[in-house]
Amino acid sequence: MYELNCHGVIPGCERVIRADSQAEVMRRAVMQAKQLGVETITQRLMDAIRDGMHESARH
C-alpha cells in the first residue's frame, strides 16, 4: 500500500491519501487538488506528490 500525507504538498489539503498503487495515489491526489481549487497541475506539484508518496505497511 502507498500513501501520501498531502498536508504541505497540495494547498489546503489535510488528508492522507492511501491506495494499492502509486498510480492510484497520484490519481486521487490530482482529483483532491482539483476539488480544492488547484486549476493547473504543474510538473512541480506532480514532483512534490511523487516525492511525498511512500510505501506503508498494510493495515
Side-chain angles (χ1 to χ4, degrees):
M1 177 159 292
Y2 294 88
E3 67 181 33
L4 167 71
N5 181 346
C6 64
H7 176 76
V9 177
I10 300 170
C13 185
E14 300 295 329
R15 297 182 55 205
V16 175
I17 298 169
R18 294 181 180 91
D20 289 329
S21 70
Q22 291 177 323
E24 182 62 15
V25 171
M26 183 68 71
R27 186 187 73 76
R28 291 179 186 183
V30 167
M31 286 179 46
Q32 181 68 36
K34 289 181 178 181
Q35 289 175 350
L36 291 169
V38 176
E39 294 181 19
T40 303
I41 307 299
T42 63
Q43 186 61 49
R44 184 175 178 177
L45 179 57
M46 295 293 284
D47 290 344
I49 292 169
R50 195 172 294 108
D51 290 345
M53 195 181 321
H54 66 275
E55 194 166 6
S56 65
R58 194 170 273 236
H59 295 125

